[in-house]
Amino acid sequence: MVDWVPTTCMRCAVGCGHLQQGADVGYGLDTVRGNAAHPVNRGLACQRGIRESADPDGEWLTQPMVRREGQLRKTTWDVAMFHIVEAFRDAMAETRDGVAVVGSGQQTNEAAYALGKLARGGFGTRYYDANTTLCMASAVTAYYDAFGSDAPPCTYEDIPEAQTHVVWGANPRVAHPVLFRWINDSAGDDDSELIVVDPVRSETAEVADRHVAPDPGGDLDFARAVLAHAVETDRVDEEFVAEATEGFEELCAGLPDPHVAAERAGVDFDAVESLAESLESDTLVYWGMGVNQSVQGTDTAGALIDICMATGNMGPGSGPFSLTGQANSMGTRVCSSKGGWPGHRDFDDPESRDLVAETWDVPVERLPEDTGPGPVGIFDAVLDGPVEAMYAVATNPVAGAPDAAAVEAALEEAFLVVQDAHRTETTEFADVVLPAATWGESDGTAINMERTVSRVRPATDLPSGVRTDVDLITSVGNALFDGLFETADPEALFDEFAALTEGTLADCSGLSYDRLEEELAVRWPAPDPETSVAYRYYEAAGDESDADDGSDTGGDDGGVGTTGGEWSFPTPSGRARFAGGTGRELPEPTDESYPLTLTTAREADNYNSGVRSRPSPEEPGDLVARIHPDTVDAYLDSVLADGSGGDGASEPDEAVDPTGSDAVDPKTDGSEPTDTRVRIESRRATVTAVVDADDAIPEGMVWLPIHHPGTNRLTIPATDPQSDEPNLKQCAVRLTAPAAMAAERSDAPVRADD
């Protein structure tokens, strides 16, 4: 019998502990289940994470490939590496920005750290993104603005203590089933409630006590209406505001009339009053991509933090809690040197830059002077800038980035190296493909959305043609920059990373593989081998351990007193700061030519861009558009034509305990796709979809899944000016008949050989 190997699920950012068994014969995983000993999930697990770990649908990459005469052909590792080194050296001949690097929240911390070291300390490029700019950059910016530091102050331990749970622009019943189990259980108490704010009646909204549906793009107006009404009805925690914050008077001076703001948001004023009243109880405000992926993302996330601070919903059992999408998005923020140096060191701080350069043994002048643009700016730099080559690791921008046709054009222009475990839409544009290890095959660590670090372990050997991300990144780095990496050992890389974080806001210097072996999971800040911080910035009365964030940066001496505890924030004044952002116009409102609003969101049983949940990029399945029946009827006679039917809509995952018992009821609205097909046109592209007449979608909206490769051909590449995060949740579209569909693109990329 093969031994059980403990690991961390890499499906989403909840960070559940799993137990896995390798196959008795050959390669791969035989069995995966929840780990009852793991402190994060105590054995609870979702079937999606279990199934995709053991038996993903994606098409495995098993041998390196290079493009010859327009086709990808299998080759040796030596030949593949030769092509990479030659092309990258040519690209760097005139500028260190000649190579762009794109990473992912699906890498281990060790791989993310190594990739950042290669990008910033090897190439020295400013054109580098760890993929968090596509999902978490707006929340990150808002946290920094408010608290002087990234990441939520609260943890999973606060969920059962909260009375009001406000889920805003997120659908955890689908995206984070285990987390939703905890939220739903807490909201089920007699004195508790679940409130969902979302234009769509999502699966989470279906089981909520109340659902508020602002117009698409109306989130900021609604949040400011609630805040303004809380102020004018004396629902402000004056003691907390006076002793722990700054900027409140300026915030109040800029608040709108709540009735006017509610009207702009498209909600009844009763919803404003009701939510303001609910905030008088201990409240956790959760938000996701529906908030972040907008040109107003930072301002809206900041407004939700403002609400928590103004109403005193800070401290155990309350607070602002951003929900992370990718499994190790938090890890890339801490490790990858994208927005800051390891440990959230300030990118511009001379002492931090000197320390990083010394640790990496590179000249400090090699480090780029700024963090560079997000992915939209990177692809622009291929078409109209210095970038001539790109190294994409565990990411699929052809499916995941906005305005996908422009992304394809950029990738056709660049020399592209793709490193992944599965064949993707992006590998089809590659000049070199490197097959990489995946879940159950890799050694390292990950960090979940509540700052908990835990181990990732292999339970099976690698096939002969596959190598780990860490092995590949360090090999590429050393082939180009002799001696950049002294080792490819994950534990040694983790120790190097952890040492760099000492004394920082995200101090991991008290962590080691030995400690994680013993405790299984530890939250940062962890400045010494005993400390693990729960609620950040706060010290309960008589309890010093919970307040020590391990940082010696920012703030005045001591904390500020509040009832039952003290607060200290890593800001110049030691106080939290109100944001008061007023937003900006949406980039593409509807008009007579494009009268409908497109939005995108997650659906059950699909993994990010689908590479683990679809058999092949050649067969992504029908794109299903959810549209309100009245909207369908309004356009039926003039623009819709009958066609063959699509697959049925998936139900959300059920969170299950180790014995397989149900934890969350599945979707019960009964909506199904029809056999009607429609063309959906934006100003950038056209796709064909099967219509699902679904009254959960508001009238005038077209809902598409983010996972399908056709969806982001339509979306707009406008970005939040503060965070660089794309506006993926809103653009203008129209419906036309499939009979008018243009011919298929004749210059499609050549597929890889079988």
Side-chain angles (χ1 to χ4, degrees):
M1 174 64 71
V2 178
D3 292 337
W4 288 103
V5 177
T7 191
T8 302
C9 179
M10 295 293 284
R11 178 46 163 89
C12 78
V14 175
C16 295
H18 277 183
L19 292 173
Q20 53 189 3
Q21 281 184 327
D24 288 324
V25 178
Y27 305 103
L29 298 179
D30 179 70
T31 305
V32 179
R33 71 183 189 193
N35 183 358
H38 199 279
V40 167
N41 57 313
R42 301 294 182 187
L44 196 67
C46 73
Q47 285 294 340
R48 177 180 62 184
I50 289 174
R51 179 182 57 79
E52 287 188 10
S53 295
D55 188 24
D57 291 333
E59 181 179 340
W60 297 92
L61 297 172
T62 59
Q63 191 171 336
M65 293 185 287
V66 297
R67 188 170 295 280
R68 295 195 183 102
E69 298 178 351
Q71 292 188 336
L72 284 170
R73 300 188 182 279
K74 293 177 181 179
T75 189
T76 66
W77 281 106
D78 287 343
V79 170
M81 286 295 181
F82 172 81
H83 281 278
I84 292 171
V85 171
E86 185 179 58
F88 283 1
R89 282 178 176 164
D90 288 346
M92 291 187 296
E94 295 185 6
T95 172
R96 64 184 184 180
D97 288 329
V99 178
V101 180
V102 183
S104 168
Q106 290 300 322
Q107 300 171 269
T108 62
N109 292 321
E110 294 77 5
Y113 173 73
L115 189 64
K117 183 175 179 177
L118 172 58
R120 301 305 202 187
F123 297 120
T125 183
R126 62 188 297 271
Y127 293 101
Y128 166 55
D129 195 83
N131 214 34
T132 58
T133 310
L134 285 174
C135 59
M136 297 307 300
S138 295
V140 168
T141 305
Y143 279 135
Y144 270 114
D145 289 346
F147 305 138
S149 177
D150 178 20
C154 32
T155 74
Y156 297 157
E157 292 176 0
D158 298 300
I159 295 175
E161 304 303 318
Q163 291 177 281
T164 300
H165 300 267
V166 181
V167 176
W168 200 307
N171 189 9
R173 192 177 176 208
V174 161
H176 304 101
V178 171
L179 175 71
F180 178 74
R181 164 71 177 268
W182 301 327
I183 295 172
N184 203 40
D185 284 351
S186 178
D189 294 342
D190 291 340
D191 60 348
S192 300
E193 61 179 338
L194 171 60
I195 303 166
V196 172
V197 181
D198 196 316
V200 173
R201 192 177 73 247
S202 67
E203 289 84 352
T204 303
E206 287 174 356
V207 297
D209 298 287
R210 276 183 283 149
H211 172 215
V212 182
D215 290 340
D219 298 276
L220 179 58
D221 282 322
F222 180 46
R224 285 171 57 77
V226 171
L227 181 55
H229 188 56
V231 170
E232 72 177 13
T233 54
D234 298 323
R235 290 182 167 110
V236 173
D237 186 331
E238 295 181 356
E239 182 178 6
F240 176 79
V241 168
E243 296 184 349
T245 73
E246 60 185 0
F248 184 66
E249 291 183 1
E250 293 85 348
L251 170 77
C252 292
L255 287 175
D257 179 291
H259 290 83
V260 174
E263 184 177 357
R264 286 201 302 265
V267 300
D268 294 333
F269 190 75
D270 287 349
V272 174
E273 165 61 31
S274 180
L275 182 51
E277 181 179 357
S278 294
L279 292 166
E280 295 182 78
S281 301
D282 287 344
T283 302
L284 280 168
V285 178
Y286 317 82
W287 75 90
M289 301 309 104
V291 167
N292 294 336
Q293 290 175 334
S294 167
V295 294
Q296 299 182 352
T298 299
D299 285 338
T300 307
L304 300 183
I305 296 172
D306 285 347
I307 287 173
C308 290
M309 293 198 300
T311 59
N313 279 296
M314 294 287 294
S318 64
F321 200 159
S322 59
L323 302 183
T324 306
Q326 293 196 54
N328 199 34
S329 181
M330 178 70 75
T332 61
R333 288 148 67 180
V334 176
C335 305
S336 71
S337 300
K338 161 52 188 168
W341 303 113
H344 293 164
R345 290 184 180 276
D346 187 346
F347 204 85
D348 298 324
D349 176 55
E351 292 185 5
S352 293
R353 295 172 67 85
D354 287 343
L355 177 62
V356 169
E358 180 183 0
T359 301
W360 292 352
D361 193 23
V362 299
V364 69
E365 57 269 18
R366 183 181 295 177
L367 305 180
E369 295 180 357
D370 62 69
T371 60
V376 172
I378 288 175
F379 296 119
D380 288 344
V382 177
L383 294 171
D384 188 23
V387 175
E388 296 181 1
M390 183 177 294
Y391 185 20
V393 179
T395 188
N396 186 17
V398 170
D403 192 8
V407 172
E408 291 177 3
L411 296 182
E412 287 179 328
E413 185 76 17
F415 182 91
L416 177 63
V417 178
V418 175
Q419 179 174 308
D420 214 321
H422 296 91
R423 184 179 169 193
T424 72
E425 286 75 19
T426 303
T427 61
E428 306 311 293
F429 290 83
D431 296 281
V432 179
V433 174
L434 303 180
T438 184
W439 313 345
E441 300 173 343
S442 301
D443 196 12
T445 58
I447 307 177
N448 72 0
M449 71 174 79
E450 56 140 16
R451 299 177 276 111
T452 296
V453 186
S454 58
R455 289 278 277 115
V456 176
R457 294 178 177 86
T460 179
D461 292 332
L462 287 173
S464 60
V466 175
R467 296 165 64 179
T468 67
D469 278 331
V470 166
D471 182 20
L472 289 168
I473 293 164
T474 56
S475 294
V476 170
N478 284 338
L480 290 163
F481 312 101
D482 186 38
L484 180 64
F485 295 98
E486 294 182 0
T487 178
D489 176 54
E491 184 172 7
L493 287 169
F494 182 86
D495 290 343
E496 180 179 308
F497 148 74
L500 263 177
T501 70
E502 183 176 3
T504 68
L505 299 172
D507 196 331
C508 296
S509 61
L511 296 178
S512 65
Y513 276 25
D514 287 343
R515 182 178 179 186
L516 295 175
E517 185 77 27
E518 180 179 351
E519 299 182 41
L520 296 184
V522 182
R523 290 190 192 97
W524 64 259
D528 57 65
E530 288 78 38
T531 300
S532 175
V533 173
Y535 208 102
R536 298 177 76 199
Y537 318 126
Y538 177 76
E539 180 181 343
D543 182 4
E544 297 183 0
S545 62
D546 283 349
D548 182 5
D549 69 357
S551 171
D552 59 1
T553 62
D556 52 16
D557 293 336
V560 288
T562 61
T563 302
E566 291 188 337
W567 291 90
S568 182
F569 298 91
T571 61
S573 67
R575 295 169 175 265
R577 301 172 292 208
F578 284 96
T582 58
R584 53 200 46 78
E585 293 297 321
L586 296 177
E588 194 175 71
T590 58
D591 57 21
E592 290 185 2
S593 297
Y594 295 88
L596 304 176
T597 298
L598 170 68
T599 195
T600 68
R602 297 179 187 273
E603 63 180 356
D605 300 324
N606 271 287
Y607 167 81
N608 287 342
S609 60
V611 297
R612 297 184 76 93
S613 50
R614 291 196 306 268
S616 168
E618 289 183 329
E619 300 176 358
D622 283 325
L623 178 62
V624 177
R626 297 167 63 194
I627 307 173
H628 192 281
D630 290 347
T631 305
V632 173
D633 290 343
Y635 287 85
L636 188 62
D637 292 339
S638 59
V639 302
L640 299 183
D642 290 340
S644 60
D647 296 333
S650 299
E651 294 183 347
D653 284 315
E654 300 180 33
V656 297
D657 64 24
T659 65
S661 61
D662 293 349
V664 178
D665 292 331
K667 179 180 177 181
T668 56
D669 69 359
S671 63
E672 293 288 344
T674 67
D675 61 354
T676 302
R677 292 183 181 272
V678 64
R679 270 179 97 206
I680 305 170
E681 296 182 355
S682 75
R683 290 180 171 86
R684 288 153 296 283
T686 300
V687 299
T688 300
V690 175
V691 174
D692 176 2
D694 187 349
D695 63 9
I697 309 302
E699 293 184 47
M701 176 183 282
V702 176
W703 186 104
L704 291 178
I706 63 169
H707 317 85
H708 197 282
T711 296
N712 276 319
R713 301 187 70 81
L714 303 172
T715 53
I716 189 168
T719 60
D720 182 303
Q722 300 174 74
S723 68
D724 284 331
E725 185 155 353
N727 191 83
L728 290 168
K729 296 304 180 195
Q730 168 271 329
C731 69
V733 296
R734 64 190 177 199
L735 305 182
T736 60
M741 186 169 58
E744 291 291 330
R745 204 163 60 97
S746 61
D747 59 343
V750 179
R751 303 292 182 183
D753 289 347
D754 292 333

